[in-house]
Amino acid sequence: MKFETAAVHAGEEPVLSEGGSGDVVIPIHLASTFARRDVAKPTGGYEYSRSGNPTRDALETKLAAIEGAKFGLAFSSGLAAETTVALTLLKKDDHVVAFDDLYGGTRRLFNHVFQENFGIKFSYVDARETENVASALRRNTRFVWLETPTNPLIRLCDIRGIAKVAHEKGIPVIVDNTFASPYFQHPLALGADIVVHSTTKYINGHSDSVGGAVMLSDEALHQRIRYNQNAAGAILSPFDSFLVARGIKTLALRMERHQKNALTLAKYLEGHEKVSAVHYPGLRSHPQYALAKKQMDGFSGMISFEIKGGKPAALKFLRALRLFSLAESLGGVESLIEHPATMTHASVPKKEREKVGVKDSLIRVSAGI
Ligand SMILES: Cc1ncc(COP(=O)(O)O)c(C=O)c1O
């Protein structure tokens, strides 16, 4: 199936056999538990909704299909998905190499939960250069964690190149594909081992559900993550599963329009006298435009830019907006705008933030449809 077809049909084939009602849309199965005829095994295949639920199953099938994976798993947030993957792969004293430009909440999870509580070490590197990742790998490195494009500086890294150097040492590569969406980028086909998403963003696309996803094709690893999905329990609810499955049906259409609008905005901002820098991989001036053309099928809808006049100018600009909501999050049909230094990346200490390049003059835009 092509992407658009899978987005509509995967996981939602109408049941026309006897007893099936033929719904063309997956029903919302709210039951927390499922009756059985005998103690030995569940009669209808389900026992308890944390370990499995028909609506979530349908979504998980769809998630796998759109990411080109064998398996999909749905979680109660993007961070719940990240936590469950990390819990599965890490032990005390292990080491992780991560892109230094990451969603602030991911860094908070790594530094303040996994590092402080469990002694896991994180090396943050500028993964725009594959060599920086290669030289940070250690004997006890358990995975490489990448975002591309990154939040909030819209930087890219070469998934194929990094997977090659990591795999030479038997180290898996995990890509947070939230900013590109499965429509514009296929990390598994480029050599990544696991993809994670905040489905809160483009995948659901309507700013009305918080969720996360993991997609992968390795069966043994899938079994381990699924075990922990149930053991730790951060599953997506049936109602949210329905919403995300519904959102996915229009993902292709939405992404085309997000991209068109983002490119228009980015070009406008690039020519504006009060703007000192625009970060959008669809601009020829983006230092990684060639990589974006090669690695992605499109440039997505996220832009960040720097306004002249520092923080006071940034705050004045944000206060003056009428239509764009000043709000965290992204990827919804409406345009959203935010100030990373005080909002999405406030949990990253100022020194670390500035080292990466997240300045007080930086503004992030999610172009709507
Ligand atoms: C790139 C990226 N990954 C992960 C997350 C976390 O997702 P959630 O907010 O659904 O937990 C976010 C949230 O903004 C994000 O932008």
Side-chain angles (χ1 to χ4, degrees), residues 77-80 82 103 106 147 151 176 178-179 197-201 210-212 329-330 344 364:
S77 70
L79 279 171
E82 296 182 17
Y103 167 56
T106 301
E147 273 180 27
N151 181 1
D176 180 337
T178 300
F179 267 39
H197 280 276
S198 167
T199 61
T200 316
K201 313 295 165 14
V210 172
S329 204
L330 59 112
T344 49
R364 193 191 75 183

mmCIF file of all heavy atoms in Angstrom, residues 77-80 82 103 106 147 151 176 178-179 197-201 210-212 329-330 344 364, ligand 1:
data_model
loop_
_atom_site.group_PDB
_atom_site.id
_atom_site.type_symbol
_atom_site.label_atom_id
_atom_site.label_comp_id
_atom_site.label_asym_id
_atom_site.label_seq_id
_atom_site.Cartn_x
_atom_site.Cartn_y
_atom_site.Cartn_z
ATOM 1 N N SER A 77 2.134 9.437 26.026
ATOM 2 C CA SER A 77 2.753 10.700 25.609
ATOM 3 C C SER A 77 4.037 10.352 24.863
ATOM 4 O O SER A 77 4.506 9.202 24.930
ATOM 5 C CB SER A 77 3.077 11.597 26.818
ATOM 6 O OG SER A 77 4.136 11.041 27.582
ATOM 7 N N GLY A 78 4.598 11.339 24.196
ATOM 8 C CA GLY A 78 5.882 11.112 23.536
ATOM 9 C C GLY A 78 6.938 10.739 24.560
ATOM 10 O O GLY A 78 7.764 9.840 24.341
ATOM 11 N N LEU A 79 6.903 11.428 25.707
ATOM 12 C CA LEU A 79 7.907 11.133 26.741
ATOM 13 C C LEU A 79 7.695 9.753 27.352
ATOM 14 O O LEU A 79 8.654 9.101 27.761
ATOM 15 C CB LEU A 79 7.900 12.226 27.812
ATOM 16 C CG LEU A 79 8.695 13.463 27.376
ATOM 17 C CD1 LEU A 79 8.492 14.616 28.353
ATOM 18 C CD2 LEU A 79 10.183 13.154 27.251
ATOM 19 N N ALA A 80 6.452 9.287 27.423
ATOM 20 C CA ALA A 80 6.209 7.926 27.914
ATOM 21 C C ALA A 80 6.813 6.916 26.944
ATOM 22 O O ALA A 80 7.397 5.900 27.361
ATOM 23 C CB ALA A 80 4.710 7.677 28.067
ATOM 24 N N GLU A 82 9.425 7.495 24.984
ATOM 25 C CA GLU A 82 10.874 7.606 25.155
ATOM 26 C C GLU A 82 11.327 6.876 26.422
ATOM 27 O O GLU A 82 12.318 6.144 26.426
ATOM 28 C CB GLU A 82 11.286 9.082 25.252
ATOM 29 C CG GLU A 82 11.005 9.853 23.982
ATOM 30 C CD GLU A 82 11.459 11.310 24.065
ATOM 31 O OE1 GLU A 82 12.266 11.649 24.953
ATOM 32 O OE2 GLU A 82 11.009 12.109 23.232
ATOM 33 N N TYR A 103 14.557 18.266 22.033
ATOM 34 C CA TYR A 103 13.435 18.789 22.800
ATOM 35 C C TYR A 103 13.847 18.863 24.280
ATOM 36 O O TYR A 103 14.438 17.909 24.815
ATOM 37 C CB TYR A 103 12.215 17.868 22.605
ATOM 38 C CG TYR A 103 11.109 18.131 23.594
ATOM 39 C CD1 TYR A 103 10.557 19.398 23.721
ATOM 40 C CD2 TYR A 103 10.622 17.119 24.414
ATOM 41 C CE1 TYR A 103 9.558 19.655 24.636
ATOM 42 C CE2 TYR A 103 9.612 17.365 25.335
ATOM 43 C CZ TYR A 103 9.085 18.633 25.445
ATOM 44 O OH TYR A 103 8.103 18.879 26.366
ATOM 45 N N THR A 106 13.118 15.991 26.639
ATOM 46 C CA THR A 106 13.926 14.783 26.460
ATOM 47 C C THR A 106 15.222 14.919 27.248
ATOM 48 O O THR A 106 15.659 13.998 27.945
ATOM 49 C CB THR A 106 14.209 14.555 24.951
ATOM 50 O OG1 THR A 106 12.957 14.432 24.280
ATOM 51 C CG2 THR A 106 15.026 13.308 24.715
ATOM 52 N N GLU A 147 17.446 13.489 17.022
ATOM 53 C CA GLU A 147 16.275 14.147 16.450
ATOM 54 C C GLU A 147 16.754 14.719 15.129
ATOM 55 O O GLU A 147 17.879 15.216 15.057
ATOM 56 C CB GLU A 147 15.835 15.349 17.315
ATOM 57 C CG GLU A 147 14.899 15.024 18.421
ATOM 58 C CD GLU A 147 14.502 16.271 19.224
ATOM 59 O OE1 GLU A 147 14.504 17.404 18.690
ATOM 60 O OE2 GLU A 147 14.211 16.101 20.412
ATOM 61 N N ASN A 151 14.572 20.078 17.455
ATOM 62 C CA ASN A 151 13.735 21.042 18.156
ATOM 63 C C ASN A 151 14.636 21.797 19.135
ATOM 64 O O ASN A 151 15.166 21.158 20.043
ATOM 65 C CB ASN A 151 12.645 20.259 18.915
ATOM 66 C CG ASN A 151 11.686 21.140 19.662
ATOM 67 O OD1 ASN A 151 11.792 22.352 19.619
ATOM 68 N ND2 ASN A 151 10.747 20.517 20.361
ATOM 69 N N ASP A 176 14.021 10.293 16.852
ATOM 70 C CA ASP A 176 12.760 10.969 17.144
ATOM 71 C C ASP A 176 12.352 11.678 15.847
ATOM 72 O O ASP A 176 12.968 12.671 15.456
ATOM 73 C CB ASP A 176 12.975 11.959 18.300
ATOM 74 C CG ASP A 176 11.697 12.703 18.675
ATOM 75 O OD1 ASP A 176 10.789 12.804 17.818
ATOM 76 O OD2 ASP A 176 11.616 13.208 19.810
ATOM 77 N N THR A 178 9.530 13.152 15.103
ATOM 78 C CA THR A 178 8.351 14.003 15.324
ATOM 79 C C THR A 178 8.280 15.180 14.358
ATOM 80 O O THR A 178 7.219 15.483 13.810
ATOM 81 C CB THR A 178 8.357 14.528 16.782
ATOM 82 O OG1 THR A 178 8.312 13.408 17.671
ATOM 83 C CG2 THR A 178 7.180 15.436 17.057
ATOM 84 N N PHE A 179 9.408 15.872 14.152
ATOM 85 C CA PHE A 179 9.376 17.108 13.347
ATOM 86 C C PHE A 179 9.157 16.838 11.863
ATOM 87 O O PHE A 179 8.574 17.657 11.172
ATOM 88 C CB PHE A 179 10.669 17.917 13.558
ATOM 89 C CG PHE A 179 10.555 18.954 14.641
ATOM 90 C CD1 PHE A 179 9.854 18.680 15.809
ATOM 91 C CD2 PHE A 179 11.125 20.224 14.503
ATOM 92 C CE1 PHE A 179 9.724 19.634 16.809
ATOM 93 C CE2 PHE A 179 11.004 21.183 15.491
ATOM 94 C CZ PHE A 179 10.306 20.892 16.649
ATOM 95 N N HIS A 197 7.922 8.905 18.254
ATOM 96 C CA HIS A 197 7.170 10.107 17.896
ATOM 97 C C HIS A 197 6.428 10.623 19.103
ATOM 98 O O HIS A 197 5.936 9.830 19.920
ATOM 99 C CB HIS A 197 6.085 9.791 16.855
ATOM 100 C CG HIS A 197 6.579 9.688 15.459
ATOM 101 N ND1 HIS A 197 6.751 10.783 14.654
ATOM 102 C CD2 HIS A 197 6.934 8.615 14.723
ATOM 103 C CE1 HIS A 197 7.186 10.388 13.475
ATOM 104 N NE2 HIS A 197 7.314 9.077 13.484
ATOM 105 N N SER A 198 6.283 11.932 19.165
ATOM 106 C CA SER A 198 5.220 12.497 19.970
ATOM 107 C C SER A 198 4.040 12.578 19.004
ATOM 108 O O SER A 198 4.022 13.424 18.109
ATOM 109 C CB SER A 198 5.623 13.894 20.474
ATOM 110 O OG SER A 198 4.477 14.543 20.982
ATOM 111 N N THR A 199 3.047 11.688 19.184
ATOM 112 C CA THR A 199 1.883 11.732 18.273
ATOM 113 C C THR A 199 1.016 12.953 18.556
ATOM 114 O O THR A 199 0.130 13.293 17.776
ATOM 115 C CB THR A 199 1.011 10.457 18.400
ATOM 116 O OG1 THR A 199 0.522 10.358 19.745
ATOM 117 C CG2 THR A 199 1.781 9.201 18.038
ATOM 118 N N THR A 200 1.302 13.594 19.694
ATOM 119 C CA THR A 200 0.666 14.858 20.054
ATOM 120 C C THR A 200 0.773 15.859 18.904
ATOM 121 O O THR A 200 -0.074 16.744 18.768
ATOM 122 C CB THR A 200 1.408 15.454 21.277
ATOM 123 O OG1 THR A 200 1.656 14.424 22.232
ATOM 124 C CG2 THR A 200 0.646 16.580 21.915
ATOM 125 N N LYS A 201 1.818 15.710 18.094
ATOM 126 C CA LYS A 201 2.167 16.717 17.083
ATOM 127 C C LYS A 201 1.527 16.360 15.733
ATOM 128 O O LYS A 201 0.333 16.207 15.662
ATOM 129 C CB LYS A 201 3.694 16.826 17.029
ATOM 130 C CG LYS A 201 4.349 16.947 18.420
ATOM 131 C CD LYS A 201 3.969 18.225 19.102
ATOM 132 C CE LYS A 201 4.214 18.394 20.580
ATOM 133 N NZ LYS A 201 5.033 17.573 21.370
ATOM 134 N N VAL A 210 -2.729 13.991 23.664
ATOM 135 C CA VAL A 210 -1.303 13.828 23.995
ATOM 136 C C VAL A 210 -0.991 12.342 23.873
ATOM 137 O O VAL A 210 -1.685 11.508 24.468
ATOM 138 C CB VAL A 210 -1.009 14.336 25.424
ATOM 139 C CG1 VAL A 210 0.421 13.997 25.842
ATOM 140 C CG2 VAL A 210 -1.220 15.839 25.516
ATOM 141 N N GLY A 211 0.023 12.012 23.085
ATOM 142 C CA GLY A 211 0.358 10.597 22.900
ATOM 143 C C GLY A 211 1.745 10.415 22.325
ATOM 144 O O GLY A 211 2.406 11.378 21.920
ATOM 145 N N GLY A 212 2.179 9.176 22.314
ATOM 146 C CA GLY A 212 3.512 8.875 21.779
ATOM 147 C C GLY A 212 3.501 7.545 21.054
ATOM 148 O O GLY A 212 2.577 6.734 21.223
ATOM 149 N N SER A 329 3.964 23.225 21.993
ATOM 150 C CA SER A 329 3.504 22.187 21.074
ATOM 151 C C SER A 329 3.529 22.682 19.626
ATOM 152 O O SER A 329 3.897 23.830 19.330
ATOM 153 C CB SER A 329 2.118 21.648 21.436
ATOM 154 O OG SER A 329 1.984 20.333 20.896
ATOM 155 N N LEU A 330 3.171 21.771 18.727
ATOM 156 C CA LEU A 330 3.344 22.013 17.295
ATOM 157 C C LEU A 330 2.577 20.952 16.526
ATOM 158 O O LEU A 330 2.056 20.002 17.097
ATOM 159 C CB LEU A 330 4.844 21.924 16.947
ATOM 160 C CG LEU A 330 5.507 20.571 17.271
ATOM 161 C CD1 LEU A 330 5.903 19.823 16.024
ATOM 162 C CD2 LEU A 330 6.722 20.777 18.145
ATOM 163 N N THR A 344 9.412 25.913 25.773
ATOM 164 C CA THR A 344 9.724 24.478 25.586
ATOM 165 C C THR A 344 11.096 24.048 26.095
ATOM 166 O O THR A 344 11.310 22.882 26.397
ATOM 167 C CB THR A 344 9.659 24.090 24.088
ATOM 168 O OG1 THR A 344 10.424 25.043 23.350
ATOM 169 C CG2 THR A 344 8.244 24.045 23.591
ATOM 170 N N ARG A 364 10.103 30.059 17.644
ATOM 171 C CA ARG A 364 9.794 28.844 16.872
ATOM 172 C C ARG A 364 8.346 28.911 16.367
ATOM 173 O O ARG A 364 7.459 29.272 17.133
ATOM 174 C CB ARG A 364 9.985 27.617 17.761
ATOM 175 C CG ARG A 364 9.995 26.301 16.998
ATOM 176 C CD ARG A 364 9.918 25.125 17.942
ATOM 177 N NE ARG A 364 8.566 24.964 18.469
ATOM 178 C CZ ARG A 364 8.216 24.037 19.382
ATOM 179 N NH1 ARG A 364 9.118 23.222 19.874
ATOM 180 N NH2 ARG A 364 6.962 23.956 19.804
HETATM 181 C C1 LIG B 1 10.641 16.436 19.189
HETATM 182 C C2 LIG B 1 9.806 16.073 20.374
HETATM 183 N N1 LIG B 1 9.914 14.844 20.908
HETATM 184 C C3 LIG B 1 9.205 14.470 21.981
HETATM 185 C C4 LIG B 1 8.328 15.346 22.600
HETATM 186 C C5 LIG B 1 7.573 14.905 23.809
HETATM 187 O O1 LIG B 1 6.285 14.549 23.479
HETATM 188 P P1 LIG B 1 5.024 14.676 24.480
HETATM 189 O O2 LIG B 1 4.857 16.127 24.770
HETATM 190 O O3 LIG B 1 3.920 14.077 23.686
HETATM 191 O O4 LIG B 1 5.375 13.898 25.693
HETATM 192 C C6 LIG B 1 8.162 16.628 22.069
HETATM 193 C C7 LIG B 1 7.230 17.561 22.710
HETATM 194 O O5 LIG B 1 7.193 18.735 22.409
HETATM 195 C C8 LIG B 1 8.924 17.009 20.938
HETATM 196 O O6 LIG B 1 8.827 18.226 20.403
#
